[in-house]
Amino acid sequence: MLEGQVVVVTGGAGLLGASICNGIAREGGIPVVTDVDIDRAEQVAGEIRASGFTAHAVALDITKGTQIDQVIVGVRDRFGRVDAVVNNAYPRGRNFGRPVEDVEYKDFCESLSLHLGGYFLVSQRFAVAFRSQRHGNIVNISSIYGIAAPRFELYEGTSMTMPVEYAAIKAGVVNLTRYFAQYYRRDGLRCNAVAPGGIRDGQSEVFISRYDAMCGNKGLLDATDFVGTVTFLLSDASKYMTGQVLTVDDGWSL
Ligand SMILES: NC(=O)c1ccc[n+]([C@@H]2O[C@H](COP(=O)([O-])OP(=O)(O)OC[C@H]3O[C@@H](n4cnc5c(N)ncnc54)[C@H](O)[C@@H]3O)[C@@H](O)[C@H]2O)c1
């Protein structure tokens, strides 16, 4: 589906990012695994290469415009093209995830700046490059918490919560998607989003059983379960889709 396409993935060393990079490679594309954690990014790219595919790792902090520009130039120099970017990184402010009553103004602003601000900056810089070549694709990773209200009963009696910053960030990502899709719609640039449900990652049994009961066939999903939707949005199979949000949550948000 992605033969020869060069796709930059932010946060490519993480749980979902590594899975997306693997999926891109398996569809014939070349994933550029970018992350602030370059050691882990190198590891992810190395594992993909060890499976017989092409992959490349680059250090990138999504909150640094000059680094984003350097990645675009570096990828074009190395591969002769850059076709798409997946905004997937997950920066968290220092006090991210406190109960809503304890979130201070500066905490709220810090996480929004890093995460939503970073997604904006990546979109802005790549859109300029994509417009100049009249071809490009942005896929943003939002969340079910960007399209639906939290269900706090899931977290009762656990150490987890659904952070208020996260709800604001992921809802912001949804309309950032529509904004870029509309602004660049005549410039050969598409912009869509995926809203994944919860990913299995060592959560407590009580949380898992409550969460699973709200879903259909599986409940919490594996990171690999989202990859087909991302590669679909990166591919020509979705050529005339732009500004859309695809929810993948096994029915949680119904
Ligand atoms: N895990 C879930 O249940 C879940 C559910 C829905 C949506 N998501 C979304 O999926 C995306 C990936 O989440 P994940 O669970 O794989 O997270 P993760 O923490 O496993 O990976 C995130 C990666 O982002 C990197 N990162 C952090 N700050 C960065 C920065 N400033 N610049 C570049 N890279 C940075 C980290 O080093 C890490 O490798 C996020 O957008 C998240 O909101 C996750």
Side-chain angles (χ1 to χ4, degrees):
M1 288 174 87
L2 304 177
E3 199 56 48
Q5 280 202 44
V6 178
V7 184
V8 175
V9 179
T10 72
L15 180 67
L16 189 49
S19 206
I20 291 169
C21 289
N22 265 286
I24 290 166
R26 278 163 210 286
E27 291 296 341
I30 299 172
V32 180
V33 187
T34 70
D35 206 288
V36 280
D37 185 344
I38 185 61
D39 292 341
R40 181 78 194 112
E42 295 278 12
Q43 197 181 327
V44 170
E47 285 163 9
I48 294 171
R49 285 195 296 269
S51 304
F53 303 105
T54 307
H56 180 56
V58 188
L60 172 63
D61 180 340
I62 62 164
T63 66
K64 306 279 188 298
T66 50
Q67 287 188 21
I68 300 167
D69 292 340
Q70 283 164 3
V71 167
I72 295 168
V73 171
V75 169
R76 275 179 168 164
D77 283 351
R78 190 179 186 96
F79 297 106
R81 58 191 288 175
V82 58
D83 300 286
V85 63
V86 182
N87 251 324
N88 164 80
Y90 193 167
R92 299 154 170 96
R94 265 158 300 185
N95 295 319
F96 177 76
R98 286 180 168 172
V100 65
E101 297 84 355
D102 301 334
V103 175
E104 293 184 19
Y105 178 72
K106 67 174 171 33
D107 300 333
F108 187 85
C109 294
E110 185 187 21
S111 281
L112 258 86
S113 297
L114 294 171
H115 195 148
L116 183 57
Y119 278 43
F120 157 71
L121 205 53
V122 169
S123 303
Q124 182 199 48
R125 299 300 170 111
F126 272 86
V128 170
F130 290 157
R131 178 157 65 181
S132 70
Q133 66 189 22
R134 299 206 59 80
H135 153 78
N137 197 340
I138 300 172
V139 176
N140 291 322
I141 306 299
S142 178
S143 162
I144 46 172
Y145 293 123
I147 59 156
R151 294 176 172 175
F152 293 108
E153 63 272 29
L154 279 169
Y155 303 100
E156 276 166 21
T158 77
S159 59
M160 302 164 63
T161 187
M162 218 301 289
V164 64
E165 308 93 305
Y166 196 70
I169 289 163
K170 289 310 195 185
V173 167
V174 166
N175 227 34
L176 199 66
T177 302
R178 297 190 185 114
Y179 188 103
F180 275 82
Q182 181 79 313
Y183 194 88
Y184 290 103
R185 73 190 188 286
R186 298 196 205 286
D187 295 310
L189 198 170
R190 298 195 289 130
C191 183
N192 292 289
V194 179
I199 304 175
R200 189 173 290 271
D201 188 24
Q203 293 93 339
S204 69
E205 280 309 317
V206 62
F207 172 82
I208 293 172
S209 62
R210 285 178 193 156
Y211 186 96
D212 288 0
M214 293 175 174
C215 299
N217 298 299
K218 182 162 178 177
L220 277 178
L221 298 176
D222 295 310
T224 48
D225 290 326
F226 304 98
V227 171
T229 307
V230 176
T231 51
F232 165 70
L233 288 175
L234 289 170
S235 79
D236 275 354
S238 60
K239 198 170 183 177
Y240 298 107
M241 284 179 63
T242 193
Q244 303 305 307
V245 183
L246 298 183
T247 303
V248 185
D249 66 352
D250 192 26
W252 184 91
S253 58
L254 279 176

